[in-house]
Each structure stands twice: as structure tokens, then as C-alpha cells.
Amino acid sequence: MLSKVIKRGLGYSNYYMDLEKQYGCRNYSPLPVVLERGEGVHVFDVEGKKYFDFLSAYSAVNQGHCHPKILKTFIEQAQKVTLTSRAFYNSNLGECEKFLSDTFGYQKVLLMNSGCEAGESAIKFARRWAYTVKGVPDNQAKVIFAKGNFWGRSIAACGSSDDPSRFYKFGPFGGLGFDLIDFNSVEQLEAKLQNDPNIAAFFVEHIQGERGVILPENGYFKKVKELCDKYNVLLIIDEIQTGLGRTGKLLSHQWDDIRPDMVLLAKALTGGFYPVSAVLTDNEVMEQINPGEHGSTYGGNPLGSKVAVTATKVILEEKLCENSLEMGEIFLKGLKDIQKPFIKEARGRGLFCALEFHESTKVTATQLCLKLKERGLLAKPTHNTTIRFSPPLVINKQQIEEALDIINKAVNDL
Ligand SMILES: Cc1ncc(COP(=O)(O)O)c(C=O)c1O
């Protein structure tokens, strides 16, 4: 049995890692580091070692760890009331909805909890709209996704994925009405839309994060929007990882100057304090939903609503989009300057960057992550050969230079 005595004997990190291994579900394979504190761009392990956090909890902590303004809101609201359920009105939800509507320019907002729930909600809204507005026959609505997508782990999310680790032995997935096309292929999208009047929506990330920070080609999304409009299909852009300053704009699709029909937010919407997700859309879509047809016990709760407003304001007031753009340029240039035969490419936008190795090389992304960890920087592979670098957006120039120095040294260690 694990005890404090064993904890001392093994060292703190091993004690905590063993606990997770013994009692937790092995649904992740974490790097061997046990974190207990975070501040700004840094995290600290249980043995007191300091690291740059270049994952930012998959871009949930864009505002930096334990941002003081968000912390203050969180504590003040937690002392008043945290959860009332949607059985009653609360004095924060409406104000949060108005703030998000004004900030992002959509008529309506639905608050949920996880990003995956925002995706599920968007699919329900799109199907409902297809039946009640577009006139698709009952139970025939389809949703198109891009290959390489990632939007969570629900049955619908697994059923729309082409990555076996997401769907293997979790089926059946028949009857969902999902279809996949290549990301960046306008031709494939047009072929689908031309031939099927029952398509309700195209659901796509603006930059494919989990696939390894795969950028859209110039002009792709402009064409996608034109096609969706032409064939009366809703364009749902998943900004859960790319949004809220990550790519140097408040929303990543603003790079293409388009207005999707639905936008999904989560992660940095509360700066790491609390799970809140949002679907942004207009009356034509959201007003097809009636009381009792959708919801969640925690969705739209007073604590999450209050924190979401402060966390979004921090991004705007502290000019984190601008900083992401400026620091991202320096960082990406530094990554591109790293020359090794096994490096295929450095790419990114804002502070959403990746380093990819050649498939043929024996060097793995995990090996580099372990070297980075030893030298005081935490990042995680997205695939065998790709590492994503996405630090908190509060990072400054000196810290970017220190991080690049660590990455250079770790690459040389390989
Ligand atoms: C683009 C994207 N959408 C949706 C999700 C799902 O979010 P959550 O893990 O909060 O369910 C993720 C999670 O990484 C994501 O990257």
C-alpha cells in the first residue's frame, strides 16, 4: 500500500506517478513530471524544479497560469454562489451571453462545459436547422468533417475521426450521417455539396491542432465559405484550440476575413480556472431549439459565466493577440533557424507552432520532449514526429529567447 513513508522513500514524483498508475484510468501517457504550481509562463514540479510551459494545457491557459485578475473573480464569485442550475435564472449568465455576443458579433450564445460538448451542441443545432429551416427530410441530415480532425472523445467525436486510436473498438458508429474530406481540398468539399442536398454543415478547425498545427492554404477558407453559402450549408468553425489569441488574432478565422455560421470556443475562455465552452451563432440557428431539448447541469452556471467574462477581458485588455503575433514571429524564426538533418519543417501562426521531424528518422518527438523536460521546458508530441509549441500568450521576448536556447540545446542532445 502507498503511504507517506513510501512517498518519502521513492521521492515525491514517483509517489504521485505511482498513485495515478495504480488508481487512475490509463487513458493518457504523461511525461514523467508531476506539477504542483503554476505562475504566468512557468510551472513547478513537486521537487521544486521550474519549467517553461509550452503546452499551456492545450491552449487553455493562454492568459498564463493563475492569472491574478481571473483568480480574483473566481474567488469572489465562489464566495457568493457557484451553481444554481438552469432551472432558475442567475445574475451572471445573461451578462456573460451579452458580453460574448457583443465581443464576437453573434446574436446568440450557448454556454456548456467541455469543448466536446460545444461540438455536440453545434451538431444538434445544425441538424435541427437542416430539418426546420433548410427542409432536409427527417433523419437524413449529414455533417461533413475534415480528415485529421479532433474535437473531443464523445461517441460522435470518435465517430467523425479517421484516427484509429479514437474509434478502435468503440463502435458501432453507423447512422451518424458523418462524412470526411481532406482538409484544404476545396474540390472535395464542392463535390460533396453538389451531390447531396441533405448536408447540414461543414465542421472544421481553422488550423488543425492535434494533427500537428496544419495550416489552411491561402484562400481555402474564403472558398469554403462561398461554397457553404452557395449550397445553404452551415460553416461551423472549431476555435477551441486556435481561438482567443492563440494564432495572433482573437479568432483564427479572422485571418481569412470570413464569418462562420457557428463558432465554438472553450479552453482559454476561462484561462484554465473552470471548464466553460460556448457555441456562438445567430437567431436563425439557435432559435430552433426549445426548452427541454438541450442542456447541462453545470452549463451557464454563475461561476463559469463570471470567470469567462474576466478571462476574455484579460485577453483583450492585455493585448495578448498582439503579443502572440509579435512573440510568435520571433519564436517561429528561431525554430526555423534550427538546422538538423532529421528536422523536416517548423511552422505556425502566432504562438501556435510545431516542429516536425522526417518520418524516416529514428529520432522521435517524445525523445525531444524528454530532453526538453530535463532542460526545463515542457511540451508534448502531437504525433510520433511532431511537437506542438504553444506557450501562454503572456510570454515576453527574453523568455522566448531563453526557450529557444533550451530547444536548440535539447535538439543537439539528441
Ligand atoms: C480543436 C478542439 N476542439 C475540441 C476539443 C475538445 O475539448 P475538450 O477536451 O474540452 O472536450 C479540443 C481538445 O483538445 C480541441 O483541440
Side-chain angles (χ1 to χ4, degrees), residues 96 215 351 357 404:
C96 176
L215 300 169
L351 282 168
F357 300 165
L404 282 169

Side-chain angles (χ1 to χ4, degrees), residues 371-388:
K371 296 286 180 201
L372 289 168
K373 177 192 111 57
E374 280 166 29
R375 290 187 171 276
L377 186 146
L378 297 179
K380 194 82 172 65
T382 57
H383 286 283
N384 252 356
T385 50
T386 309
I387 300 175
R388 168 187 30 207

Side-chain angles (χ1 to χ4, degrees), residues 28 57-59 113-119 149-154 157 203-210 238-242 264-267 275-277 352 388:
Y28 281 84
Y58 301 96
S59 295
N113 311 286
S114 66
C116 190
E117 280 175 295
N149 73 73
F150 181 74
W151 60 274
R153 302 289 187 163
S154 66
F203 182 135
V204 63
E205 290 156 78
H206 187 255
I207 295 175
Q208 292 193 301
E210 295 305 302
D238 178 349
E239 291 270 5
I240 287 167
Q241 198 163 158
T242 51
L264 312 184
L265 298 175
K267 296 189 191 278
V276 174
S277 59
F352 201 36
R388 168 187 30 207

Side-chain angles (χ1 to χ4, degrees), residues 110 112 116-133 138-139 141-143 145 151 154 156-157 176-178 200-201 203 234 236 262 264 279 281 284-296:
L110 168 82
M112 297 293 279
C116 190
E117 280 175 295
E120 291 275 344
S121 307
I123 294 168
K124 282 177 76 174
F125 291 176
R127 285 181 176 180
R128 174 58 64 88
W129 171 87
Y131 300 128
T132 54
V133 179
D138 233 14
N139 291 320
K142 298 208 180 99
V143 178
F145 296 84
W151 60 274
S154 66
L176 284 170
F178 294 167
F203 182 135
L234 299 174
I236 304 170
M262 274 193 247
L264 312 184
V279 180
T281 188
E284 181 181 307
V285 173
M286 216 174 265
E287 291 202 336
Q288 307 309 318
I289 299 295
N290 303 303
E293 292 178 341
H294 194 61
S296 159

Side-chain angles (χ1 to χ4, degrees), residues 203-224:
F203 182 135
V204 63
E205 290 156 78
H206 187 255
I207 295 175
Q208 292 193 301
E210 295 305 302
R211 192 177 151 207
V213 188
I214 307 297
L215 300 169
E217 280 165 15
N218 279 343
Y220 171 64
F221 272 104
K222 265 252 181 293
K223 197 76 192 133
V224 164

Side-chain angles (χ1 to χ4, degrees), residues 147 180-183 185-193:
K147 288 181 191 163
L180 287 165
I181 55 170
D182 286 336
F183 185 65
S185 173
V186 170
E187 296 72 28
Q188 288 183 23
L189 180 64
E190 181 143 37
K192 290 279 176 210
L193 301 188

